[in-house]
Structures are given as structure tokens and as C-alpha cells.
Amino acid sequence: MGTIKEEFSKDIRKQKAAGRIDSSKYEQALAQYNLEISDDEVKAAVKKIIEEKVPENNNLEVKKFLFGSIEYTTLSVTDTEEKVLGMVEKINKFNEDYPELPHVAAICTYPNFTKLIADSLEVEGVEVANVSGAFPSSQTFLEVKTIETSLAIKDGATNIDIVLPVGSFFSGDYETVCDTISELKEVCGDADMKVILETGVLRNAKDIKIASLLAMYSGADFIKTSTGKEGGGASAEAVYVMCQAIKEYYDKTGIMVGLKPSGGINSAMDAIIYYTILKEVLGEKWATNYYFRLGTSRLTNLLLSEILGSEIKYF
């Protein structure tokens, strides 16, 4: 991201090292933001956006844009090198077969496939994304998380997706939540880090907003809805609250943070709704293939079929 973000993160780390940050620091930071939001208010706002704004974005150009925001993903216990290599080969070949269309934004896998992807990916501009830090539970020692992440970076990962320590969050231990995120961001260095909030298990809109702010405060380059493994996937309401948090954080710090809906994105309309919410809350500045990503594989063929006007099973 930008220089402002780097300096902000460095300052937080220096203050921690000097013992000048404790849990009250996080409470003070949160007090600067509007946390008095209700689930009913969020549902009403989302309903209004969907009814009034989604139809104008249900068009070919937006669908092409959305295709270019996809992070082509496999996160299965049955993943093999052959399967992952086949995915990379499809991305390489797609660039030749459909030169008039955007390529996907990234290929996202477990860290042990990083080197294979980095060595075989031929398309410039496609990120090598990894889930790391004890995905999907975030339940292990911080040392294990940092080692896994550093190995992924060493092998060529350019994006790292970690899970916010939800157990610590529910215990009110914001210091552990923030320390974990900031430590892993330091390991990531120049590689963008996405923090998965697991919004499906968070209790309400207020929880989602607090988790979003803590993640950004600790150095997240993106905030992401879900792992897809627990509590369901993305929802329009969660995306709306996250966009609100991103906007308020930007207004106070000047730091742009990206958004990644992920998990349970089953149709082109789901993606159009998330895109519309982002554009309405954050504005055109965020409507780029860098700041807006979609964690899905299912959507590749669905969007491609709608763009080309016939059923396509390319991926």
C-alpha cells in the first residue's frame, strides 16, 4: 500500500515495543468511531441500495470488471499438486484464448502450493495468494503463524490471507487480536495482507464493525468477510458494515483499505450486489480490481457464461 500506511504501522509497532500501548489504547481508538449501529438499520440500508442501485450495475461492463476481481480459489483437504497445476494452466491458457477479457486477479491456495504456482504462472498481474496463520481457525501459537507466513512469502506469495483470532475477540482481548495481526503484517512486508473477520460467526453489526476497525488499525491491507469454512459466507449486510468501517477509517487516516467478500458467492447477482454496496458507500475510488476482490471459484464459469452469452465451463 502507500507510504502513509507504512509509517502508521511502524509507529504502532514502535509504541508497542516501548510499552506505551495497552488494551486501553484500542478502546480509545474505537471510541473515535460510530459503533452505535443496529442490525435493523443495516438491513434497511442494504435493502434500499439493492432496490435503487443494483439494476444499473447489472450490465456487461460490470460483469467483466467482476471477472477481473476474482481470486480463483481452492482450499480443500483433497487438494493436490496436479489439481493446483491444472488451475494455473487454465489461467495461462485463458489469457491466450480470451485476450479481450480481463484475467482473474489472483489464484488462492494453501501455502504448500506457493512455489508450484510461482514457478508455473505465466500471466503478469495475477497475484499468488495464500491462506496462512493457521487457516481457518487461527487457533495456534503466534510463532507457528509467523513461520508459516514467512515460508509462504519466501516461496513467492504476493498476498497473504489470515484469520482474525475470533476467540480472543470474543474474550475482549483486543491486544492479542491486534498484536497477532500486526506481527503477521510485519512478516508480510510488501505483500498485501487480508484479514478474514469470519463475519458469519460474529454476533451482530457492531461486532463486525469493531473487528473491521481493529484489523485496519493493526495493519490490514484488506478486510475479508469469511473463510467459507464456518458460519456461512459473505452477506450483503456484512459487506455494508465493512464498507462503512473502511470509509470512516479512511476519513480519519487517509489510508485506503481494500475489501474482499468471500464464501458462499453463488451467483453473478451476489457479486453485483457486493460491488454496488462498495461503490455506493466508498465511491468510484474503490471500484478497481486492486481494492475490490472476490474470493470464489464458482463464479468464474458463471460470469464467463453471462459475459459470452452461452454456457461456458472453461474453469
Side-chain angles (χ1 to χ4, degrees), residues 255-288:
I255 299 169
M256 288 181 71
V257 173
L259 175 77
K260 182 179 173 182
S262 181
I265 304 176
N266 295 314
S267 68
M269 183 52 67
D270 287 342
I272 291 168
I273 288 170
Y274 300 149
Y275 166 79
T276 303
I277 292 169
L278 172 119
K279 197 166 76 165
E280 291 303 312
V281 177
L282 292 172
E284 295 282 354
K285 196 172 180 180
W286 267 264
T288 72

Short mmCIF file of all heavy atoms in Angstrom, two decimals, residues 255-288:
data_model
loop_
_atom_site.label_atom_id
_atom_site.label_comp_id
_atom_site.label_asym_id
_atom_site.label_seq_id
_atom_site.Cartn_x
_atom_site.Cartn_y
_atom_site.Cartn_z
N ILE A 255 -5.80 6.37 4.83
CA ILE A 255 -5.33 5.06 4.37
C ILE A 255 -6.47 4.31 3.70
O ILE A 255 -7.52 4.09 4.31
CB ILE A 255 -4.78 4.24 5.55
CG1 ILE A 255 -3.59 4.95 6.19
CG2 ILE A 255 -4.37 2.84 5.09
CD1 ILE A 255 -3.16 4.36 7.52
N MET A 256 -6.26 3.92 2.44
CA MET A 256 -7.26 3.12 1.71
C MET A 256 -7.05 1.64 2.01
O MET A 256 -5.95 1.13 1.84
CB MET A 256 -7.18 3.37 0.21
CG MET A 256 -7.68 4.72 -0.23
SD MET A 256 -7.59 4.96 -2.03
CE MET A 256 -8.88 3.83 -2.61
N VAL A 257 -8.09 0.97 2.43
CA VAL A 257 -8.06 -0.46 2.70
C VAL A 257 -9.03 -1.15 1.74
O VAL A 257 -10.13 -0.66 1.50
CB VAL A 257 -8.44 -0.75 4.16
CG1 VAL A 257 -8.59 -2.24 4.42
CG2 VAL A 257 -7.40 -0.15 5.10
N GLY A 258 -8.61 -2.28 1.19
CA GLY A 258 -9.43 -3.00 0.23
C GLY A 258 -10.47 -3.89 0.89
O GLY A 258 -10.44 -4.12 2.10
N LEU A 259 -11.39 -4.42 0.06
CA LEU A 259 -12.48 -5.28 0.52
C LEU A 259 -12.51 -6.57 -0.28
O LEU A 259 -12.38 -6.55 -1.50
CB LEU A 259 -13.82 -4.55 0.35
CG LEU A 259 -15.07 -5.36 0.66
CD1 LEU A 259 -15.26 -5.48 2.18
CD2 LEU A 259 -16.32 -4.73 0.03
N LYS A 260 -12.69 -7.69 0.43
CA LYS A 260 -12.81 -8.98 -0.25
C LYS A 260 -13.98 -9.77 0.33
O LYS A 260 -13.84 -10.45 1.34
CB LYS A 260 -11.52 -9.79 -0.12
CG LYS A 260 -11.57 -11.15 -0.85
CD LYS A 260 -10.27 -11.91 -0.71
CE LYS A 260 -10.38 -13.32 -1.29
NZ LYS A 260 -9.13 -14.11 -1.12
N PRO A 261 -15.15 -9.73 -0.32
CA PRO A 261 -16.21 -10.67 0.02
C PRO A 261 -15.77 -12.08 -0.39
O PRO A 261 -15.19 -12.27 -1.47
CB PRO A 261 -17.41 -10.20 -0.82
CG PRO A 261 -17.08 -8.79 -1.19
CD PRO A 261 -15.60 -8.76 -1.34
N SER A 262 -16.05 -13.05 0.44
CA SER A 262 -15.63 -14.42 0.16
C SER A 262 -16.53 -15.40 0.88
O SER A 262 -17.02 -15.12 1.97
CB SER A 262 -14.18 -14.60 0.61
OG SER A 262 -13.71 -15.89 0.33
N GLY A 263 -16.73 -16.55 0.26
CA GLY A 263 -17.54 -17.59 0.87
C GLY A 263 -19.00 -17.49 0.47
O GLY A 263 -19.63 -16.46 0.71
N GLY A 264 -19.52 -18.52 -0.16
CA GLY A 264 -20.94 -18.55 -0.49
C GLY A 264 -21.37 -17.57 -1.57
O GLY A 264 -22.54 -17.18 -1.61
N ILE A 265 -20.46 -17.17 -2.44
CA ILE A 265 -20.83 -16.31 -3.56
C ILE A 265 -21.30 -17.23 -4.68
O ILE A 265 -20.50 -17.83 -5.40
CB ILE A 265 -19.65 -15.43 -4.02
CG1 ILE A 265 -19.14 -14.60 -2.83
CG2 ILE A 265 -20.06 -14.52 -5.16
CD1 ILE A 265 -17.91 -13.77 -3.15
N ASN A 266 -22.60 -17.35 -4.82
CA ASN A 266 -23.18 -18.41 -5.66
C ASN A 266 -23.70 -17.94 -7.00
O ASN A 266 -24.10 -18.76 -7.83
CB ASN A 266 -24.32 -19.10 -4.90
CG ASN A 266 -23.83 -19.82 -3.66
OD1 ASN A 266 -22.84 -20.53 -3.71
ND2 ASN A 266 -24.51 -19.63 -2.54
N SER A 267 -23.75 -16.64 -7.23
CA SER A 267 -24.32 -16.14 -8.48
C SER A 267 -23.69 -14.82 -8.86
O SER A 267 -23.08 -14.12 -8.03
CB SER A 267 -25.84 -15.93 -8.33
OG SER A 267 -26.09 -14.86 -7.43
N ALA A 268 -23.83 -14.47 -10.14
CA ALA A 268 -23.35 -13.17 -10.61
C ALA A 268 -24.06 -12.05 -9.85
O ALA A 268 -23.45 -11.02 -9.53
CB ALA A 268 -23.58 -13.04 -12.11
N MET A 269 -25.34 -12.25 -9.51
CA MET A 269 -26.08 -11.22 -8.81
C MET A 269 -25.51 -10.97 -7.41
O MET A 269 -25.47 -9.82 -6.94
CB MET A 269 -27.56 -11.58 -8.73
CG MET A 269 -28.42 -10.50 -8.07
SD MET A 269 -28.21 -8.84 -8.79
CE MET A 269 -28.91 -9.08 -10.42
N ASP A 270 -25.05 -12.02 -6.73
CA ASP A 270 -24.39 -11.82 -5.44
C ASP A 270 -23.23 -10.84 -5.59
O ASP A 270 -23.08 -9.88 -4.82
CB ASP A 270 -23.83 -13.14 -4.90
CG ASP A 270 -24.90 -14.08 -4.38
OD1 ASP A 270 -26.03 -13.62 -4.10
OD2 ASP A 270 -24.61 -15.28 -4.26
N ALA A 271 -22.39 -11.07 -6.60
CA ALA A 271 -21.22 -10.23 -6.82
C ALA A 271 -21.62 -8.80 -7.20
O ALA A 271 -21.00 -7.83 -6.76
CB ALA A 271 -20.34 -10.84 -7.91
N ILE A 272 -22.65 -8.67 -8.00
CA ILE A 272 -23.13 -7.34 -8.40
C ILE A 272 -23.62 -6.56 -7.18
O ILE A 272 -23.38 -5.35 -7.05
CB ILE A 272 -24.24 -7.46 -9.47
CG1 ILE A 272 -23.65 -7.98 -10.78
CG2 ILE A 272 -24.93 -6.11 -9.70
CD1 ILE A 272 -24.69 -8.42 -11.80
N ILE A 273 -24.30 -7.25 -6.28
CA ILE A 273 -24.79 -6.60 -5.05
C ILE A 273 -23.62 -6.10 -4.21
O ILE A 273 -23.60 -4.96 -3.74
CB ILE A 273 -25.68 -7.56 -4.24
CG1 ILE A 273 -27.03 -7.74 -4.95
CG2 ILE A 273 -25.90 -7.05 -2.81
CD1 ILE A 273 -27.89 -8.84 -4.37
N TYR A 274 -22.59 -6.93 -4.02
CA TYR A 274 -21.44 -6.52 -3.22
C TYR A 274 -20.72 -5.34 -3.87
O TYR A 274 -20.30 -4.40 -3.19
CB TYR A 274 -20.47 -7.70 -3.02
CG TYR A 274 -21.10 -8.88 -2.33
CD1 TYR A 274 -20.68 -10.18 -2.60
CD2 TYR A 274 -22.11 -8.72 -1.39
CE1 TYR A 274 -21.24 -11.27 -1.97
CE2 TYR A 274 -22.69 -9.81 -0.75
CZ TYR A 274 -22.25 -11.08 -1.05
OH TYR A 274 -22.82 -12.16 -0.42
N TYR A 275 -20.58 -5.40 -5.18
CA TYR A 275 -19.93 -4.31 -5.92
C TYR A 275 -20.74 -3.02 -5.77
O TYR A 275 -20.17 -1.94 -5.55
CB TYR A 275 -19.83 -4.70 -7.40
CG TYR A 275 -19.50 -3.55 -8.32
CD1 TYR A 275 -18.19 -3.09 -8.45
CD2 TYR A 275 -20.50 -2.94 -9.07
CE1 TYR A 275 -17.88 -2.04 -9.32
CE2 TYR A 275 -20.20 -1.89 -9.94
CZ TYR A 275 -18.89 -1.45 -10.05
OH TYR A 275 -18.59 -0.41 -10.89
N THR A 276 -22.05 -3.12 -5.86
CA THR A 276 -22.91 -1.93 -5.75
C THR A 276 -22.79 -1.31 -4.36
O THR A 276 -22.70 -0.08 -4.23
CB THR A 276 -24.37 -2.30 -6.04
OG1 THR A 276 -24.46 -2.89 -7.35
CG2 THR A 276 -25.27 -1.07 -5.99
N ILE A 277 -22.77 -2.13 -3.34
CA ILE A 277 -22.62 -1.62 -1.97
C ILE A 277 -21.29 -0.89 -1.83
O ILE A 277 -21.22 0.22 -1.29
CB ILE A 277 -22.75 -2.75 -0.94
CG1 ILE A 277 -24.18 -3.30 -0.91
CG2 ILE A 277 -22.34 -2.27 0.46
CD1 ILE A 277 -24.34 -4.58 -0.12
N LEU A 278 -20.22 -1.51 -2.32
CA LEU A 278 -18.90 -0.87 -2.27
C LEU A 278 -18.91 0.49 -2.96
O LEU A 278 -18.43 1.48 -2.41
CB LEU A 278 -17.86 -1.79 -2.92
CG LEU A 278 -16.47 -1.18 -3.10
CD1 LEU A 278 -15.42 -1.97 -2.33
CD2 LEU A 278 -16.06 -1.14 -4.57
N LYS A 279 -19.50 0.53 -4.15
CA LYS A 279 -19.50 1.78 -4.93
C LYS A 279 -20.34 2.85 -4.25
O LYS A 279 -19.96 4.03 -4.22
CB LYS A 279 -20.01 1.51 -6.34
CG LYS A 279 -19.67 2.63 -7.32
CD LYS A 279 -19.88 2.21 -8.75
CE LYS A 279 -21.34 2.22 -9.11
NZ LYS A 279 -21.55 2.17 -10.57
N GLU A 280 -21.48 2.46 -3.67
CA GLU A 280 -22.36 3.44 -3.04
C GLU A 280 -21.79 3.98 -1.73
O GLU A 280 -21.93 5.16 -1.42
CB GLU A 280 -23.74 2.82 -2.79
CG GLU A 280 -24.52 2.54 -4.05
CD GLU A 280 -24.73 3.78 -4.91
OE1 GLU A 280 -25.13 4.83 -4.36
OE2 GLU A 280 -24.46 3.70 -6.13
N VAL A 281 -21.14 3.12 -0.96
CA VAL A 281 -20.61 3.56 0.34
C VAL A 281 -19.23 4.20 0.20
O VAL A 281 -18.95 5.23 0.82
CB VAL A 281 -20.54 2.37 1.33
CG1 VAL A 281 -19.92 2.82 2.66
CG2 VAL A 281 -21.93 1.78 1.57
N LEU A 282 -18.38 3.62 -0.64
CA LEU A 282 -16.99 4.08 -0.72
C LEU A 282 -16.70 4.94 -1.94
O LEU A 282 -15.72 5.69 -1.95
CB LEU A 282 -16.05 2.87 -0.71
CG LEU A 282 -16.02 2.09 0.60
CD1 LEU A 282 -15.23 0.80 0.44
CD2 LEU A 282 -15.42 2.93 1.70
N GLY A 283 -17.49 4.80 -2.99
CA GLY A 283 -17.27 5.61 -4.18
C GLY A 283 -16.41 4.92 -5.22
O GLY A 283 -15.84 3.84 -5.00
N GLU A 284 -16.29 5.57 -6.38
CA GLU A 284 -15.59 5.01 -7.53
C GLU A 284 -14.12 4.71 -7.24
O GLU A 284 -13.51 3.85 -7.87
CB GLU A 284 -15.68 5.98 -8.72
CG GLU A 284 -17.08 6.19 -9.26
CD GLU A 284 -17.55 5.04 -10.13
OE1 GLU A 284 -16.73 4.13 -10.42
OE2 GLU A 284 -18.73 5.05 -10.52
N LYS A 285 -13.54 5.44 -6.30
CA LYS A 285 -12.12 5.28 -5.98
C LYS A 285 -11.79 3.84 -5.60
O LYS A 285 -10.68 3.36 -5.83
CB LYS A 285 -11.77 6.24 -4.84
CG LYS A 285 -10.30 6.49 -4.64
CD LYS A 285 -10.12 7.60 -3.60
CE LYS A 285 -8.65 7.89 -3.36
NZ LYS A 285 -8.46 8.96 -2.36
N TRP A 286 -12.75 3.16 -4.99
CA TRP A 286 -12.54 1.77 -4.56
C TRP A 286 -12.95 0.75 -5.63
O TRP A 286 -12.67 -0.43 -5.49
CB TRP A 286 -13.31 1.48 -3.28
CG TRP A 286 -12.51 1.69 -2.03
CD1 TRP A 286 -11.83 0.74 -1.32
CD2 TRP A 286 -12.31 2.92 -1.32
NE1 TRP A 286 -11.21 1.30 -0.22
CE2 TRP A 286 -11.50 2.64 -0.20
CE3 TRP A 286 -12.73 4.23 -1.54
CZ2 TRP A 286 -11.11 3.62 0.71
CZ3 TRP A 286 -12.35 5.21 -0.63
CH2 TRP A 286 -11.55 4.91 0.47
N ALA A 287 -13.58 1.22 -6.69
CA ALA A 287 -14.11 0.30 -7.71
C ALA A 287 -13.02 -0.06 -8.71
O ALA A 287 -13.10 0.23 -9.91
CB ALA A 287 -15.31 0.92 -8.40
N THR A 288 -11.96 -0.72 -8.20
CA THR A 288 -10.86 -1.18 -9.05
C THR A 288 -10.59 -2.64 -8.72
O THR A 288 -10.95 -3.13 -7.65
CB THR A 288 -9.58 -0.37 -8.81
OG1 THR A 288 -9.03 -0.74 -7.53
CG2 THR A 288 -9.85 1.13 -8.85
#
